[in-house]
């Protein structure tokens, strides 16, 4: 892909406004670029439980369980996204099924100190 990657990036960058408008289905105000190099994960992520399960028909899957009580520093949706991404990239050929169990009076709408926000 290296031989096609650079020309494609250049072509799309030259027409970024049109490409963004096409992908978002309407006019856009502005398109800008920033460095595309993503930082490595800031720290190790310790999951509560990860089971490797062989189902009755022989398929192997990952069952990931998280127990969430009060006092988290990160919102659960962001943590679960991080767990899913890391498990999926580590075990590429195994489906990952994640479950959060809220305990101690904490509900699914609870967020950590970095409230999850959406711009959409």
């Amino acid at each position: 892909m290296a031989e096609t990657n650079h020309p494609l990036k250049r072509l799309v960058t030259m027409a970024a406004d049109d490409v963004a408008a096409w992908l978002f289905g309407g006019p856009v105000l502005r398109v800008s670029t920033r460095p595309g190099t993503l930082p490595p994960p800031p720290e190790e992520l310790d999951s509560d439980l990860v089971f490797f399960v062989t189902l009755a028909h022989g398929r192997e899957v990952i069952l990931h369980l998280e127990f969430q009580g009060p006092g988290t520093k990160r919102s659960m949706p962001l943590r679960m996204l991080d767990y899913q991404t890391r498990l999926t990239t580590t075990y590429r050929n195994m489906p990952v099924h994640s479950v959060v169990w809220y305990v101690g009076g904490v509900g699914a709408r609870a967020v950590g100190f970095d409230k999850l926000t959406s711009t959409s």
Side-chain angles (χ1 to χ4, degrees), residues 2-18:
E3 64 274 2
T4 59
N5 199 13
H6 180 70
L8 288 172
K9 286 181 181 180
R10 184 176 162 96
L11 177 65
V12 170
T13 299
M14 289 171 48
D17 290 345
D18 293 328

Side-chain angles (χ1 to χ4, degrees), residues 10-62:
R10 184 176 162 96
L11 177 65
V12 170
T13 299
M14 289 171 48
D17 290 345
D18 293 328
V19 171
W22 172 59
L23 292 173
F24 285 106
V28 297
L29 292 177
R30 176 176 35 260
V31 176
S32 62
T33 61
R34 295 185 184 162
T37 304
L38 300 174
E43 58 192 36
E44 224 174 59
L45 187 62
D46 187 25
S47 59
D48 288 336
L49 291 172
V50 176
F51 295 114
F52 295 83
V53 179
T54 303
L55 301 175
H57 60 282
R59 184 177 185 198
E60 289 188 312
V61 299
I62 294 173

Side-chain angles (χ1 to χ4, degrees), residues 47-52 62-66 83 87 91 96:
S47 59
D48 288 336
L49 291 172
V50 176
F51 295 114
F52 295 83
I62 294 173
L63 176 59
H64 164 231
L65 301 175
E66 284 299 315
Y83 289 125
L87 285 166
Y91 305 100
V96 177

